[in-house]
Amino acid sequence: MEILQIKETCLYVKDLDTTRQFYAGKLGLEIIGEVKDRHVFFRAGRSVLLCFDPDASKKGETLPPHYGSGNLHLAFEVAPDRYEDQKTIIKALGIEIEHEHEWPNEIKSFYFRDPDNHLLEIVMTGMWEQQI
């Protein structure tokens, strides 16, 4: 196999309206798909964030059923010269930064939570490229 990237990732959420308000309204992600009471999809750079109502997605009417629960983690990558700006934006939105970390090679990241308590991270470009 020759995988180029992870194209999309998925979170399972309790309330699609709250999720839409957080990811589009606060974080500014573009909504690229939505089915009432089932899912809302967002563009995140070149990737896609899928947010599903877990009860609706486990029915699997046209696609295979899937379901998940619990607190999940994903990271959004930003250019190093935009990192501090993103941190300022998150704080200005009233979102608590739970932890900030400095990785090898002066790569920084910070962590915060979405309304479903999923752990989100903002990380500087170069995190994994320099460690492979």
Side-chain angles (χ1 to χ4, degrees):
M1 293 180 60
E2 193 173 316
I3 305 295
L4 298 177
Q5 68 178 342
I6 295 175
K7 187 64 176 178
E8 58 190 26
T9 193
C10 176
L11 296 176
Y12 297 95
V13 300
K14 296 174 192 151
D15 184 304
L16 291 169
D17 290 331
T18 300
T19 296
R20 183 185 321 95
Q21 291 168 7
F22 181 80
Y23 286 97
K26 287 190 173 188
L27 300 188
L29 299 184
E30 175 190 3
I31 296 172
I32 59 171
E34 188 168 10
V35 171
K36 184 173 173 42
D37 299 326
R38 185 175 192 284
H39 69 256
V40 60
F41 298 165
F42 305 93
R43 175 141 343 268
R46 293 185 314 232
S47 300
V48 175
L49 174 60
L50 311 174
C51 294
F52 286 97
D53 175 314
D55 293 326
S57 65
K58 70 181 172 183
K59 294 176 186 164
E61 295 161 0
T62 57
L63 296 172
H66 49 87
Y67 174 84
S69 63
N71 299 339
L72 303 175
H73 166 70
L74 61 90
F76 297 111
E77 184 178 68
V78 300
D81 64 343
R82 299 289 303 171
Y83 177 80
E84 290 297 328
D85 295 339
Q86 302 311 303
K87 195 165 59 169
T88 299
I89 290 167
I90 293 297
K91 288 178 181 178
L93 290 168
I95 300 170
E96 179 186 350
I97 293 176
E98 189 171 309
H99 178 76
E100 186 169 16
H101 199 84
E102 187 161 333
W103 301 94
N105 300 315
E106 299 179 9
I107 303 293
K108 292 181 182 178
S109 71
F110 66 88
Y111 297 83
F112 58 101
R113 302 277 174 173
D114 79 356
D116 286 278
N117 214 32
H118 296 303
L119 183 62
L120 307 179
E121 179 182 12
I122 302 290
V123 63
M124 290 177 173
T125 302
M127 172 68 166
W128 291 107
E129 294 82 354
Q130 295 178 2
Q131 295 181 10
I132 292 177

